[in-house]
Amino acid sequence: MKDRHVNGQRLHAQGITLGYDARTITDDLSVAIPDGSFTVIVGANGCGKSTLLRGLARLLRPRSGSVFLDGELITAYPTKEVARRLGLLPQVQVAPEGITVVDLVSRGRFPHQKLLRQWAREDETAVVEALAATGITDLAPRFVDELSGGQRQRVWLAMALAQQTEILLLDEPTTYLDIAHQVDVLDLCAGLQAHRGYTLVAVLHDLNMACRYATHIVAMKDGAVVAEGHPSDVITESLVREVFGLECRVIDDPESGTPLVVPKHRPVRVTGSTDEEKNHVPAQA
Ligand SMILES: Nc1ncnc2c1ncn2[C@@H]1O[C@H](COP(=O)(O)OP(=O)(O)OP(=O)(O)O)[C@@H](O)[C@H]1O
Ligand SMILES: [Mg+2]
């Protein structure tokens, strides 16, 4: 195996074109995830964030271009080997019917099982740690389909953590969480990055949380990377306008000093009151 840290980046994509059927979503996109970073991907709904994560995790094969993991083409590894190095928490997950929390989290250990070494003490430890880290130890015997949305999201995160991969891709890990649990999950991620040398890539919609936790931000628009770098350099009023079409002020977060995006106040208006809306004819499905 070649040097694991080629160019200092264990995971990078070179000129990848990703799409579904005839539709191209990213065209010739290159991105490198800095080793040991907490990289946060931001961008409007539908701009291709999840598609990019799937491409980086080898769930979606690029039509052209390549993804490299530890200096090799990611396609060159056996599936289990990729899963031992890189974990993905997808945006949408469906649990098998009637499965308990502890059984689902235990599935994160599958890449570590070998034919002759089934369940071992380190698997047990990894599962117990993942349950504790996500604050769901008490939920262990419960059925996943009987949990609330936020509880369920923490179960999936625990499954990804139990996989114990040094590279972890998380697609909206905080979407269903209340503010305290959002902070808990992001603190947990920051701890893995700062103290255990993990490389984290997360898609987040909350720009202010992104600015607090990210060491590196990748901003996407229409399937392309439009800016990347440190949050203070990337998250500006013009970037928010360009990427989200939103007028805002960016001030210093009083707690952390990181950028804080405050949408500009606009008067409430009655929907359907503009000429454009009055004349709008809905498209046929
Ligand atoms: N399985 C699929 N089949 C066909 N088109 C898809 C599929 N998944 C996503 N798309 C399309 O690809 C585009 C990018 O979707 P993607 O899920 O990557 O966006 P996203 O940036 O993650 O958005 P969101 O913030 O809403 O999660 C969208 O136009 C979407 O409709
Ligand atoms: Mg998405």
Side-chain angles (χ1 to χ4, degrees), residues 158-268:
M159 185 176 115
L161 291 178
Q163 206 173 319
Q164 291 187 327
T165 56
E166 285 176 3
I167 304 174
L168 202 46
L169 312 181
L170 307 169
D171 199 346
E172 300 199 26
T174 54
T175 296
Y176 292 101
L177 304 184
D178 65 60
I179 190 162
H181 282 115
Q182 283 181 39
V183 170
D184 282 348
V185 162
L186 292 169
D187 279 350
L188 169 66
C189 293
L192 292 171
Q193 178 251 333
H195 303 302
R196 289 217 211 157
Y198 274 43
T199 299
L200 291 163
V201 184
V203 173
L204 296 180
H205 278 299
D206 186 326
L207 293 179
N208 299 330
M209 290 291 189
C211 288
R212 275 197 175 196
Y213 286 92
T215 60
H216 188 76
I217 288 215
V218 174
M220 288 182 71
K221 185 184 180 187
D222 298 336
V225 173
V226 292
E228 58 180 317
H230 194 267
S232 329
D233 299 325
V234 171
I235 301 301
T236 60
E237 289 165 12
S238 61
L239 186 280
V240 175
R241 187 182 305 119
E242 180 189 355
V243 170
F244 297 97
L246 181 76
E247 295 299 325
C248 72
R249 283 170 63 192
V250 176
I251 58 174
D252 286 348
D253 184 313
E255 275 298 313
S256 57
T258 52
L260 184 74
V261 175
V262 184
K264 287 230 168 123
H265 179 73
R266 42 187 192 200
V268 177

Side-chain angles (χ1 to χ4, degrees), residues 106 109-110 112-113 117-128 162:
S106 300
R109 299 302 298 164
F110 172 71
H112 298 275
Q113 253 114 62
R117 190 191 70 79
Q118 294 297 326
W119 190 254
R121 183 182 291 266
E122 65 239 45
D123 298 315
E124 193 66 39
T125 309
V127 170
V128 169

Side-chain angles (χ1 to χ4, degrees), residues 132-176:
T134 48
I136 56 168
T137 306
D138 292 349
L139 300 179
R142 299 266 305 271
F143 290 111
V144 175
D145 37 26
E146 291 174 3
L147 300 180
S148 77
Q151 290 170 331
R152 218 173 295 170
Q153 189 163 26
R154 283 184 286 143
V155 174
W156 289 111
L157 178 63
M159 185 176 115
L161 291 178
Q163 206 173 319
Q164 291 187 327
T165 56
E166 285 176 3
I167 304 174
L168 202 46
L169 312 181
L170 307 169
D171 199 346
E172 300 199 26
T174 54
T175 296
Y176 292 101

Side-chain angles (χ1 to χ4, degrees), residues 20 23 25 43-51 54 91 172 205:
Y20 306 95
R23 256 185 92 198
I25 307 297
N45 290 140
C47 74
K49 303 176 299 295
S50 299
T51 302
R54 280 187 219 127
Q91 183 172 357
E172 300 199 26
H205 278 299

